[in-house]
Amino acid sequence: LETLIATKAARCVEAARGRTLVDFALRRTHGFDAGLACARSSYLAGFQGSSNVLAGQVFGLPVYGTMAHSYVTSFPSELEAFRAYARLYPDQTVLLVDTYDTLCGTAKAIVVARELAAAGRRLRGVRLDSGDLVELSKKVRQLLRQNDCGEVAVMVSGNLDEFRLDQLLHDGAEIDVAGVGTRMGVSADAPYLDMAYKMVEYAGRPILKLSPGKVSWVGPKQIWRHYDDSGRMRGDTLGLAGEADFSADALLHTVMQDGVRMQPRESLAVIRERCRLERAKLPESLRAIRVKPHYPVTVSERLQDLQARTRNQKLVAENEPSARGD
Amino acid sequence: LETLIATKAARCVEAARGRTLVDFALRRTHGFDAGLACARSSYLAGFQGSSNVLAGQVFGLPVYGTMAHSYVTSFPSELEAFRAYARLYPDQTVLLVDTYDTLCGTAKAIVVARELAAAGRRLRGVRLDSGDLVELSKKVRQLLRQNDCGEVAVMVSGNLDEFRLDQLLHDGAEIDVAGVGTRMGVSADAPYLDMAYKMVEYAGRPILKLSPGKVSWVGPKQIWRHYDDSGRMRGDTLGLAGEADFSADALLHTVMQDGVRMQPRESLAVIRERCRLERAKLPESLRAIRVKPHYPVTVSERLQDLQARTRNQKLVAENEPSARGD
């Protein structure tokens, strides 16, 4: 799950081209532990924080929130709601402006921005959660600028994922921050990773399964990664553990042995920075949002040999009349 | 999540046309609590049980398991693996026959079936997990029958969902039991339910939001369901709570008040039976697997009136210059 969500979140980060992203997924993740995993994984992938306050407490990552529509509708008027919210959170006021009409809501947010400014504070942002986000974000930005509120951030939310973020920015939306929820939190277009652990050796004997379409590679393995001169990844070699190292980086390391962790625990900041650096080494095609990526993986000769030998032995042995109990 | 999974599972039950289904989803659900929710929800929807033993312990639902490929490959030969498994679980032996070759595996399972029979036991089933399940299930069934093992169940698994089950049975697969995993457990084609709670009344004041594409219906509501003469559902009416009852069933009941449950807790068996009876009342079109269903929902006049009045008042009030702080 963590790999799945981190991948989806990293794609959102690529699509956002530097805009700040916040995890809004908790209400649609498949339960609470999925919600925690989502907040942590998306933060590691480059999100700025999460609306999940428990994740903030557990992992120490930044929490963000804005008002809900029910907060606005619970007041007799939108302006009263905005003023009450600004009194409650004077230093981090982000006003949700689309409950009745986004542009009218923005006009009221500007009133509150002036009131905050008069008190020595400032309005942090306005959030758009519906409608044509391209057109509305441009108009809202213009309104803000015309009223000396150019520094107020424009935040958007609502059914966002990497594809919609990419499209919005391509179409000229003027966005500083985006809340990304459901589609990232359940990895909507790829909600599972078709991965399984397979036994590859038992009591010194190499092992595989030969089920059609599900043949596994035999033996304990290592992966070596190759880079081009600019430091970009150009392909991997899959081989047997203990093979010559191809003068390349070996990716698999022992992280736990006999129940003991082999390296000290890393902070979120360290993991997040490594994620950023590793993403920068990806070939451009793997960072594209809409292109089906290709990445060359070759299999070492020794692994191919062992695979063929084990396969043939097993095919013969299991099909002999004696093996069938005949 | 529970509604999502129960719906997906109920569709699998419809597609299986009476075959036994078992939840195999735990390894791909989005975390452990999602796995528990999946085991419980699919059981309520008509599955026979789950491979999730914790769910068995927590909810008291039947647990099922078969051997893993790694169990087979850990033995020098498949026949030895089958014999060891049959010694371990003599009363519930289901043998996984596709590790090397499904038909050879079945031949070995027949050997073990005879050995079990000689000891007064019987082989419960064989499981196919790969390949062309239509052709293989027919051949396996034939092999079993030719060897006086006609009562051995044929179980299949591997990327199943309601669409594949429907196709398999349509194509003549001879199946008694199916393990349904990943695609049901993450509701792969519809991994989230786009539902939210909305505030509809506050301090006696009817409330709505007018965000484009997200307008909410005002006021506390009731739903009345209408049936035809044969007892099939034919449509719902959405109205205001307290309206005349349309001589139809009111669907919404208070289940908790002031923190206290209003009805006693129901057993899984009771809920499961209600689910079965309610599904039987669905119109045929809603039980079909591939048809986009239509179900008529009408809105009562009183609700439409209140909606229009509240909407107009709010539109005027929020757009007045005074409301904007002008």
Side-chain angles (χ1 to χ4, degrees):
Chain A
L1 177 65
E2 283 78 0
T3 306
L4 189 69
I5 302 298
T7 303
K8 185 80 174 165
R11 286 170 57 80
C12 292
V13 171
E14 293 291 340
R17 304 167 208 172
R19 275 77 177 175
T20 298
L21 298 182
V22 178
D23 160 37
F24 271 16
L26 178 60
R27 69 175 177 173
R28 297 277 164 66
T29 57
H30 290 186
F32 295 124
D33 56 358
L36 285 174
C38 176
R40 182 176 181 275
S41 301
S42 59
Y43 181 69
L44 293 178
F47 275 47
Q48 200 62 40
S50 171
S51 65
N52 184 341
V53 292
L54 180 60
Q57 193 181 16
V58 171
F59 302 122
L61 52 81
V63 293
Y64 291 88
T66 80
M67 61 205 321
H69 289 107
S70 59
Y71 188 93
V72 177
T73 57
S74 71
F75 285 82
S77 80
E78 193 174 29
L79 186 57
E80 286 171 82
F82 286 1
R83 282 175 172 149
Y85 193 84
R87 276 195 303 276
L88 266 174
Y89 306 104
D91 292 321
Q92 37 188 324
T93 311
V94 177
L95 298 172
L96 176 61
V97 295
D98 79 322
T99 305
Y100 304 116
D101 177 280
T102 296
L103 297 180
C104 292
T106 302
K108 293 166 205 163
I110 289 168
V111 173
V112 174
R114 288 184 185 140
E115 292 169 358
L116 278 167
R121 316 274 193 171
R122 71 179 186 85
L123 178 64
R124 290 299 171 113
V126 294
R127 176 159 71 100
L128 287 57
D129 187 51
S130 57
D132 179 342
L133 295 177
V134 174
E135 285 311 307
L136 286 173
S137 67
K138 288 185 195 171
K139 287 182 180 161
V140 165
R141 172 81 71 197
Q142 194 183 14
L143 257 177
L144 290 169
R145 285 211 181 107
Q146 286 167 351
N147 288 278
D148 299 322
C149 293
E151 81 294 349
V152 172
V154 176
M155 180 172 192
V156 296
S157 56
N159 289 322
L160 298 180
D161 61 10
E162 70 272 38
F163 301 108
R164 299 196 182 199
L165 284 167
D166 189 53
Q167 191 68 49
L168 282 175
L169 294 174
H170 177 267
D171 293 346
E174 301 203 19
I175 297 171
D176 303 300
V177 186
V180 182
T182 302
R183 287 165 194 269
M184 184 269 291
V186 302
S187 189
D189 60 334
Y192 59 91
L193 195 60
D194 209 350
M195 196 201 72
Y197 287 97
K198 290 291 164 203
M199 191 152 67
V200 294
E201 185 178 85
Y202 186 75
R205 192 163 46 81
I207 276 174
L208 46 63
K209 62 183 253 197
L210 299 171
S211 319
K214 298 182 176 182
V215 176
S216 60
W217 284 93
V218 78
K221 293 170 201 67
Q222 181 55 277
I223 305 170
W224 291 273
R225 180 151 291 172
H226 310 280
Y227 299 88
D228 65 18
D229 292 341
S230 69
R232 289 285 175 94
M233 304 171 190
R234 60 178 174 79
D236 294 352
T237 302
L238 181 68
L240 288 167
E243 281 196 69
D245 73 5
F246 301 99
S247 15
D249 281 4
L251 298 189
L252 301 178
H253 301 278
T254 306
V255 293
M256 188 174 272
Q257 199 157 40
D258 299 328
V260 178
R261 183 195 281 267
M262 306 299 286
Q263 275 104 22
R265 196 187 183 94
E266 293 179 311
S267 70
L268 287 194
V270 167
I271 306 172
R272 192 164 186 257
E273 177 62 8
R274 183 171 57 240
C275 174
R276 195 183 66 77
L277 292 174
E278 287 293 313
R279 277 199 297 115
K281 294 184 202 162
L282 287 171
E284 277 305 323
S285 68
L286 285 184
R287 300 180 71 168
I289 299 302
R290 288 171 197 279
V291 181
K292 189 104 185 168
H294 171 73
Y295 185 73
V297 176
T298 55
V299 177
S300 78
E301 277 185 32
R302 279 184 54 192
L303 177 51
Q304 292 190 44
D305 286 349
L306 182 62
Q307 180 79 3
R309 244 181 305 131
T310 312
R311 182 191 166 89
N312 291 336
Q313 281 169 9
K314 206 64 199 165
L315 276 176
V316 172
E318 292 296 338
N319 291 307
E320 277 176 358
S322 66
R324 302 198 200 187
D326 294 352
Chain B
L1 177 64
E2 283 78 359
T3 306
L4 190 69
I5 302 298
T7 303
K8 185 79 174 166
R11 287 169 57 80
C12 293
V13 171
E14 292 291 340
R17 305 166 207 174
R19 275 76 176 177
T20 298
L21 298 182
V22 178
D23 160 37
F24 271 16
L26 179 60
R27 69 174 178 174
R28 297 277 164 66
T29 57
H30 289 186
F32 294 125
D33 56 359
L36 284 174
C38 176
R40 182 175 181 276
S41 301
S42 58
Y43 181 69
L44 293 178
F47 276 47
Q48 200 62 39
S50 172
S51 65
N52 184 340
V53 292
L54 181 60
Q57 195 182 14
V58 171
F59 302 122
L61 52 80
V63 293
Y64 291 87
T66 80
M67 61 206 320
H69 290 106
S70 59
Y71 188 93
V72 177
T73 57
S74 70
F75 285 82
S77 79
E78 194 174 29
L79 186 57
E80 286 170 82
F82 286 1
R83 283 176 171 149
Y85 193 85
R87 275 196 303 275
L88 266 174
Y89 306 104
D91 291 320
Q92 38 189 322
T93 311
V94 178
L95 298 172
L96 176 62
V97 295
D98 79 322
T99 305
Y100 304 116
D101 178 280
T102 296
L103 297 180
C104 292
T106 302
K108 293 166 205 162
I110 289 168
V111 173
V112 174
R114 288 185 185 139
E115 293 169 358
L116 278 168
R121 316 272 193 172
R122 73 180 185 85
L123 178 64
R124 290 299 171 113
V126 294
R127 176 159 71 100
L128 286 57
D129 187 52
S130 58
D132 179 342
L133 295 178
V134 174
E135 285 312 307
L136 286 174
S137 67
K138 288 186 195 170
K139 287 182 181 162
V140 165
R141 172 80 72 197
Q142 194 183 15
L143 257 177
L144 291 170
R145 285 211 182 109
Q146 287 167 351
N147 289 277
D148 299 322
C149 293
E151 82 293 349
V152 172
V154 176
M155 179 172 192
V156 297
S157 56
N159 289 321
L160 298 180
D161 61 10
E162 70 272 38
F163 302 108
R164 299 196 182 200
L165 284 167
D166 188 53
Q167 192 68 48
L168 281 175
L169 294 175
H170 176 268
D171 293 346
E174 301 204 18
I175 297 170
D176 303 300
V177 186
V180 182
T182 302
R183 287 166 194 268
M184 184 270 291
V186 302
S187 188
D189 60 334
Y192 59 91
L193 195 59
D194 209 350
M195 196 202 72
Y197 287 97
K198 290 292 165 203
M199 191 152 68
V200 294
E201 185 178 85
Y202 185 74
R205 192 163 46 81
I207 276 173
L208 46 63
K209 61 183 255 196
L210 299 172
S211 319
K214 298 182 176 183
V215 176
S216 60
W217 284 94
V218 77
K221 294 171 199 67
Q222 181 55 276
I223 306 170
W224 292 273
R225 181 151 292 171
H226 310 280
Y227 298 88
D228 65 18
D229 292 340
S230 70
R232 289 285 175 94
M233 304 172 190
R234 61 178 173 79
D236 294 352
T237 301
L238 181 68
L240 289 167
E243 281 196 69
D245 73 5
F246 300 99
S247 17
D249 281 3
L251 298 188
L252 301 178
H253 301 279
T254 306
V255 293
M256 187 175 272
Q257 199 157 40
D258 299 328
V260 179
R261 183 195 281 267
M262 306 298 286
Q263 276 104 21
R265 195 187 184 95
E266 293 179 311
S267 70
L268 288 194
V270 167
I271 306 172
R272 191 165 187 256
E273 177 62 8
R274 183 170 57 239
C275 174
R276 195 183 66 78
L277 292 174
E278 287 292 314
R279 278 200 296 114
K281 294 184 203 163
L282 287 171
E284 277 305 323
S285 67
L286 286 184
R287 300 180 72 169
I289 299 302
R290 289 170 197 279
V291 181
K292 190 105 184 167
H294 171 72
Y295 186 73
V297 176
T298 56
V299 177
S300 77
E301 276 186 31
R302 279 183 55 191
L303 177 51
Q304 291 189 45
D305 285 349
L306 182 63
Q307 179 79 2
R309 245 181 304 129
T310 312
R311 181 191 167 89
N312 291 336
Q313 281 169 9
K314 206 65 199 165
L315 276 176
V316 171
E318 291 296 338
N319 291 308
E320 277 176 358
S322 66
R324 301 198 201 187
D326 293 353

